[in-house]
Amino acid sequence: MSTPYQRFLTTVDMVSAIANVDSTAIERIKVPERIHTVSIPMQRENGGHEFYTGYRVQHSSVRGPYKGGIRYHPAVTLDEVMALAAWMTIKTAVVDIPLGGAKGGIAVDPHDLSPAEQESLTRSYTERIHRDIGPQVDIPAPDVNTTSRTMDWLADEYGRLTGTTSPAVTTGKSIANGGSQGRDTATAQGGIDVLMAVLNDAGDELSGKRVAIQGFGNAGANAARLVTAAGATVVAASDSTAAIADDRGLPVQRLVHYKAEGGRFEDLDGFSRIMPENVLTYDADILIPAALEGQITAENASQISARYVLELANGPTTPEADTQLHHRGIAILPDVLANAGGVVVSYFEWLQNLSGEHWSREQVNRRLSQVMERAYRDVARREQQLDIGFRLAAYCVALERIAAALPSAEPVLLIES
Ligand code: NAD
């Protein structure tokens, strides 16, 4: 199977034939601007030392400072981080915020580390990359297995190393340390805004729909809460340990609480179990992949019965599966649009930190919905013109915006009178 970065390149090649973008811009977007690979020393609580490999890939700063999360996962590779960084570049352009794309990661299973060791690892990683990040340079955020606490440590260590107080160096912090209201639910909320808009365009609604969700962390669990509040039923869900299903509807509030307390689905009693891969093909109207990349492939795409796929995860669908699903009339709301709510509210957090303002949760959610609905309209308009599916339409919109911001773009004559 192709790697995540190869899949990014495949999508760019498909779009380059249809987008109104010259080949220089396309070539530029295919290669990350900077790649940092670091060796991170960490002292274990038992006194031993270990070294972990970490990355920070700064893919594009054409439209603004680099922006992107940090992932802690044993399967992290440079190729994966490159793809995640490139998708951030596309995403920030799709939602039209003045930021570029980056991503970071450490190949580690944080569940093997105590909280003190996780803090030590985060501070050590920050020490390794602190010269290359900053409020106007590159602004990290949480991703898989990193949380507001991780970002608080990163901001604190960055401040200590630079002798500054700079909450704007990272987003996704706790509220007490300069985080924004609504950042915790932003990814799911932005996705639901897009889902509602597409359903509305189809003369349909979320109420009464059956939903299957792969992954029950920040993105998946919040999506479960929001779709349930809108009258839909979550019929299948999984985490990394097990998958459960109930056609009458899973008890979402109870599961959210259980996961927040550190519970694992495999330890749940009284639920009917399904094979983890069957969450994707479960009889549902809406499928929400909210775990890792490369889940919907040419092998299982034909068995997907959902009419809508809301990609809260990054890169869950391969280009081959994407084409298959589009030809079957399944609406795929692509990651670069559907999960952009997280980076939009990260942008709001950054603005609040730089201006010393505090916005209420209502203000944040209202502004988030405005940005998401406008982005959806831009993408939907392009999709209608070309009938290429929402992913390629989103890439068209993004690549045209990035190309227009390149220094080589056509000059605009400014004449003073
Ligand atoms: P998280 O660490 O909070 O949760 C990840 C969830 O996925 C956990 O429930 C984990 O058990 C589950 N999982 C892992 N491997 C799995 C597997 N093979 N099968 C089923 N479940 C599995 O992470 P998150 O922040 O919710 O991120 C999930 C996805 O959403 C990632 O692709 C991430 O890049 C993307 N995303 C997150 C944000 C954000 O703001 N958190 C923003 C944009 C995109």
Side-chain angles (χ1 to χ4, degrees):
M1 195 160 96
S2 54
T3 69
Y5 202 71
Q6 285 168 344
R7 296 202 288 273
F8 166 73
L9 295 177
T10 301
T11 309
V12 170
D13 283 338
M14 288 165 85
V15 175
S16 64
I18 30 182
N20 189 15
V21 177
D22 73 35
S23 57
T24 319
I26 295 287
E27 290 313 310
R28 182 151 171 177
I29 214 73
K30 286 179 160 183
V31 186
E33 289 175 8
R34 290 154 184 262
I35 296 177
H36 307 276
T37 302
V38 294
S39 168
I40 310 162
M42 194 204 73
Q43 184 159 15
R44 297 223 58 160
E45 284 199 283
N46 65 12
H49 273 86
E50 278 181 36
F51 288 85
Y52 294 93
T53 302
Y55 307 98
R56 186 72 186 166
V57 174
Q58 297 172 324
H59 179 263
S60 171
S61 58
V62 168
R63 290 173 37 88
Y66 302 110
K67 183 88 192 82
I70 295 172
R71 174 175 293 196
Y72 291 176
H73 195 278
V76 160
T77 61
L78 177 57
D79 181 276
E80 178 189 57
V81 181
M82 283 166 62
L84 289 162
W87 290 326
M88 285 303 298
T89 300
I90 302 296
K91 200 178 302 185
T92 51
V94 169
V95 290
D96 206 6
I97 55 178
L99 295 167
K103 205 79 179 192
I106 304 178
V108 61
D109 189 344
H111 303 105
D112 293 343
L113 304 181
S114 69
E117 289 169 340
Q118 290 179 27
E119 176 172 353
S120 163
L121 181 74
T122 302
R123 289 186 183 278
S124 201
Y125 174 63
T126 308
E127 193 280 321
R128 288 292 194 255
I129 62 166
H130 78 277
R131 289 180 199 83
D132 301 300
I133 60 172
Q136 302 298 339
V137 180
D138 181 358
I139 308 127
D143 191 70
V144 173
N145 290 330
T146 52
T147 63
S148 57
R149 197 170 53 163
T150 324
M151 295 305 116
D152 289 350
W153 291 328
L154 190 151
D156 185 64
E157 187 65 17
Y158 179 82
R160 206 180 63 74
L161 290 164
T162 57
T164 59
T165 309
S166 308
V169 67
T170 177
T171 59
K173 300 175 294 290
S174 64
I175 301 289
N177 284 293
S180 176
Q181 296 289 345
R183 177 61 184 85
D184 48 350
T185 53
T187 301
Q189 181 63 58
I192 302 304
D193 288 337
V194 172
L195 180 62
M196 297 273 210
V198 79
L199 285 166
N200 193 43
D201 279 357
D204 207 344
E205 57 178 18
L206 190 46
S207 178
K209 293 283 181 295
R210 292 160 57 87
V211 183
I213 304 180
Q214 184 195 47
F216 218 74
N218 173 287
N222 279 306
R225 249 180 359 85
L226 292 169
V227 296
T228 310
T233 307
V234 177
V235 289
S238 62
D239 70 2
S240 60
T241 65
I244 53 178
D246 187 341
D247 283 331
R248 292 161 305 169
L250 291 166
V252 166
Q253 277 306 345
R254 203 180 122 202
L255 293 174
V256 168
H257 190 70
Y258 175 74
K259 287 297 291 179
E261 300 284 300
R264 293 140 48 103
F265 280 5
E266 72 177 354
D267 299 327
L268 278 170
D269 286 328
F271 285 87
S272 114
R273 294 282 178 85
I274 57 172
M275 295 298 287
E277 60 272 24
N278 292 348
V279 169
L280 300 170
T281 54
Y282 202 80
D283 177 19
D285 304 298
I286 298 163
L287 170 63
I288 307 185
L292 299 174
E293 55 269 12
Q295 302 297 306
I296 303 176
T297 62
E299 282 70 50
N300 62 10
S302 63
Q303 297 153 47
I304 285 174
S305 62
R307 279 179 289 146
Y308 298 91
V309 178
L310 181 70
E311 292 187 341
L312 292 188
N314 281 306
T317 311
T318 65
E320 301 75 32
D322 192 63
T323 307
Q324 272 193 39
L325 294 175
H326 176 59
H327 286 147
R328 283 180 52 208
I330 295 170
I332 307 151
L333 301 167
D335 48 6
V336 291
L337 171 67
N339 72 28
V343 73
V344 170
V345 175
S346 274
Y347 167 58
F348 294 164
E349 180 175 331
W350 182 67
L351 288 179
Q352 290 172 78
N353 291 159
L354 293 175
S355 62
E357 290 180 21
H358 295 284
W359 303 355
S360 68
R361 187 175 279 269
E362 292 68 35
Q363 272 176 301
V364 167
N365 283 340
R366 196 173 55 247
R367 290 180 196 205
L368 169 63
S369 294
Q370 284 167 357
V371 173
M372 297 307 296
E373 280 159 25
R374 192 192 56 212
Y376 167 71
R377 290 277 150 243
D378 292 344
V379 171
R381 201 174 309 119
R382 213 76 172 87
E383 205 288 319
Q384 264 178 0
Q385 287 164 353
L386 301 169
D387 188 22
I388 48 175
F390 291 114
R391 186 182 324 275
L392 297 189
Y395 271 68
C396 274
V397 169
L399 289 176
E400 285 161 9
R401 285 181 180 152
I402 294 162
L406 281 169
S408 59
E410 282 292 295
V412 177
L413 281 182
L414 297 173
I415 301 169
E416 283 192 24
S417 56

